[in-house]
Amino acid sequence: MRKFLLGRLASAIPTLIIVTVAVFVMVRLIPGDPAKLMLGDLARPDQVEALRHRMGLDQPVVTQYFLWLGNIFRGDFGNSITSAQRVLPLMLERFSVSATIVVVAVGIAAIVAVPAGMFAAWRQNSLADLSVVALSTLLLSIPSFWLGLMILLFLGLQLNWFPIVGFVSFDQDFLKALSFIAMPVLTLVLVEIGSIVRMARASTIEVARLEYITHARAKGLSESAVMWRHAFKNAFAPTWTLIGLILGSLLGGIAVIETVFTIPGLGRLLVDAIYARDYPVVQGCILFVAVIYVLVNLVVDLLYPLFDPRITQ
């Protein structure tokens, strides 16, 4: 197990370095002079040159990268062009909103989907199994933005159960904050529950065919005991990996849901920064999301031996 953990930790370091290079190069490939784009067409040449010097754009590209990377390691992502706020505190504030929605949604989806997928596998080819597979396939085929709009229209406008615009933090009013995130969470649960169900079902079917499951049944154990004592741990390992991938991708790709429900999260911040050509925020958000995705998957890899007993060295 030690070798496995050290290998995963070692692989994360070059991945993070590649991420920083990719983010740096991607922003530099944007057509035009970033300083001129930030200041606008009416800016004087001396203003453009001053901003270029302040941002280090008058240095060689390699020097620019290491200057930028050094600032990142010190927690200095620069200042927002539109609001003049420090980028890092702004991102952390918005990320807390996104993380709350995503973690709650993925947690609920996993709690519902994993038992449903295992139950469907245990009743393979029955009416219950076919119903679970059909419903999960239907949910997988629905676009998240369309589902969010339908939930907003039905639960927000028609039934008036939840507020459709605005956001309140949990520090201000816990119950009111719950009402604001209820529809985004419901949307993400329905979007992701299908893939988790299918993975849990497939992995359980594979485990159920192994010899030790047949041996457990031959000893006279009940089906519920066989499922939860012997099958669950091995069947959950691939599903755990999928849940980690979903968690990481949603933390970076929740912009659509936040835009639909006007939630002031990290994804919405990135979208607004792109429209405003606020390059320090764009660059910071992309790097932040990429690093979070890598770290989440690293944590999933490090916890994987807890669910897969074959990884012991």
Side-chain angles (χ1 to χ4, degrees):
M1 182 183 294
R2 181 180 299 174
K3 184 178 179 180
F4 172 81
L5 298 178
L6 291 176
R8 289 297 184 269
L9 287 171
S11 64
I13 295 174
T15 302
L16 290 173
I17 293 174
I18 293 172
V19 165
T20 62
V21 173
V23 172
F24 178 82
V25 171
M26 181 175 57
V27 173
R28 292 305 185 276
L29 289 177
I30 297 174
D33 186 343
K36 190 172 182 180
L37 290 173
M38 291 178 186
L39 294 175
D41 296 331
L42 300 179
R44 298 192 309 271
D46 61 317
Q47 293 177 319
V48 175
E49 288 303 319
L51 182 57
R52 283 177 56 81
H53 179 72
R54 190 165 68 248
M55 296 177 63
L57 297 176
D58 54 351
Q59 302 289 330
V61 175
V62 176
T63 304
Q64 291 181 39
Y65 170 74
F66 284 107
L67 288 174
W68 173 73
L69 193 61
N71 291 332
I72 295 299
F73 277 118
R74 292 194 296 271
D76 182 9
F77 286 75
N79 294 337
S80 168
I81 299 300
T82 56
S83 65
Q85 291 181 265
R86 303 291 294 173
V87 173
L88 182 58
L90 181 61
M91 290 191 302
L92 292 176
E93 179 185 354
R94 297 293 191 95
F95 178 72
S96 64
V97 177
S98 300
T100 300
I101 295 173
V102 169
V103 171
V104 171
V106 173
I108 294 174
I111 290 172
V112 174
V114 172
M118 295 186 67
F119 174 78
W122 228 251
R123 299 290 187 269
Q124 188 178 7
N125 298 326
S126 67
L127 179 60
D129 178 32
L130 295 176
S131 300
V132 171
V133 171
L135 181 58
S136 62
T137 303
L138 175 63
L139 292 174
L140 278 172
S141 64
I142 300 176
S144 59
F145 71 89
W146 183 86
L147 181 60
L149 288 173
M150 293 302 101
I151 290 176
L152 184 66
L153 177 64
F154 183 68
L155 299 182
L157 289 176
Q158 297 293 332
L159 298 180
N160 199 27
W161 286 359
F162 304 105
I164 60 174
V165 177
F167 179 79
V168 173
S169 67
F170 284 93
D171 296 336
Q172 295 174 326
D173 191 325
F174 184 81
L175 293 179
K176 197 169 183 179
L178 285 178
S179 68
F180 276 105
I181 70 169
M183 290 191 292
V185 167
L186 177 60
T187 303
L188 291 179
V189 168
L190 294 177
V191 166
E192 302 301 340
I193 201 171
S195 57
I196 300 177
V197 165
R198 292 175 70 88
M199 177 59 77
R201 178 182 179 274
S203 58
T204 303
I205 289 175
E206 182 180 354
V207 169
R209 295 171 179 169
L210 298 178
E211 291 184 1
Y212 79 93
I213 298 296
T214 304
H215 179 68
R217 285 171 171 162
K219 288 167 57 178
L221 294 178
S222 64
E223 285 297 308
S224 60
V226 172
M227 177 186 291
W228 296 112
R229 287 188 202 172
H230 299 278
F232 173 76
K233 190 173 183 178
N234 288 337
F236 185 68
T239 309
W240 167 250
T241 301
L242 177 64
I243 291 172
L245 291 173
I246 290 173
L247 182 62
S249 62
L250 284 180
L251 287 172
I254 196 178
V256 173
I257 299 301
E258 290 178 348
T259 301
V260 170
F261 293 101
T262 63
I263 300 295
L266 186 65
R268 181 70 181 276
L269 174 64
L270 177 58
V271 172
D272 292 342
I274 291 173
Y275 281 123
R277 294 183 176 181
D278 195 339
Y279 290 104
V281 175
V282 172
Q283 190 169 250
C285 286
I286 294 175
L287 178 63
F288 188 83
V289 166
V291 171
I292 290 296
Y293 186 85
V294 171
L295 292 179
V296 167
N297 283 278
L298 175 61
V299 171
V300 170
D301 285 343
L302 295 180
L303 294 179
Y304 195 87
L306 298 177
F307 305 105
D308 193 340
R310 293 171 294 182
I311 304 176
T312 57
Q313 298 181 350

